[in-house]
Amino acid sequence: MTAPSTFGLSREARNLHFLLTNLVEEVPGIQSVAVVSSDGLLLLSSDQGRNTEARDAREVRPSGPRGSAADLATIVSGIGSLTVGAARLMDSGPVKHTMVAMDEGSLFVMSVSDGSLLGVHGNADCDMSVVAYHMALFVGRAGHVLTPELRSELRESLEQESTATGSTP
């Protein structure tokens, strides 16, 4: 994982980057992680540095959905929207988490706060219960600080980074 630059960010934003980095480094089998706002915008990602590499060297495919944090954010946002709609139709209350098990990997989506989502793409060998546990820890630590102001700061940070590298978030 390439750690994103946290220079110039608020303490809360740096803490979220730290929590995300720890999630990826401490939990075996996690390939990529994305935090997505309620409107589907990528706020925080574990693989920002790989996005530019994937676009520059198409023959080298990093792990994760097409190697792109934007792809993972799109998938997480879509699954989140679909499950919220299903819960409304079934009158079953808010969605807490969603898991998709595939032959070659897993996808976990968990609500963070006021519509924001945490998405994790794991490899086929990851222990789903361990991933879910650590995601819940992340949500518990990060959910209360993910304010509208912090979401705006994170989004601006991603836009500045993508402008500097010539990629799109």
Side-chain angles (χ1 to χ4, degrees):
M1 180 178 101
T2 304
S5 171
T6 58
F7 180 77
L9 294 179
S10 68
R11 186 182 57 122
E12 291 84 7
R14 288 191 312 270
N15 285 342
L16 280 178
H17 279 278
F18 174 78
L19 289 172
L20 187 92
T21 300
N22 279 350
L23 178 65
V24 174
E25 291 177 354
E26 290 180 5
V27 182
I30 289 182
Q31 293 185 355
S32 59
V33 179
V35 177
V36 181
S37 67
S38 60
D39 54 358
L41 297 175
L42 179 64
L43 298 175
L44 195 59
S45 172
S46 65
D47 62 346
Q48 294 163 353
R50 294 187 312 181
N51 296 341
T52 305
E53 294 168 14
R55 287 183 182 92
D56 292 344
R58 296 276 181 199
E59 68 280 356
V60 177
R61 183 174 175 177
S63 60
R66 297 189 189 247
S68 169
D71 290 341
L72 181 58
T74 301
I75 293 164
V76 167
S77 179
I79 287 175
S81 178
L82 180 64
T83 56
V84 165
R88 281 189 195 134
L89 284 173
M90 295 176 185
D91 197 23
S92 297
V95 176
K96 295 178 182 177
H97 59 269
T98 305
M99 188 198 73
V100 179
M102 301 166 276
D103 285 344
E104 299 298 322
S106 299
L107 176 66
F108 306 87
V109 180
M110 189 173 286
S111 298
V112 179
S113 64
D114 65 342
S116 296
L117 300 167
L118 171 64
V120 173
H121 177 215
N123 65 29
D125 298 330
C126 73
D127 184 330
M128 292 181 242
S129 62
V130 171
V131 172
Y133 172 76
H134 283 277
M135 287 176 70
L137 288 177
F138 179 93
V139 167
R141 293 173 181 153
H144 67 283
V145 298
L146 202 53
T147 62
E149 296 80 21
L150 184 56
R151 287 193 300 272
S152 178
E153 178 184 358
L154 292 169
R155 183 67 191 154
E156 287 173 16
S157 170
L158 276 177
E159 288 172 359
Q160 289 173 355
E161 187 171 317
S162 67
T163 301
T165 60
S167 63
T168 56

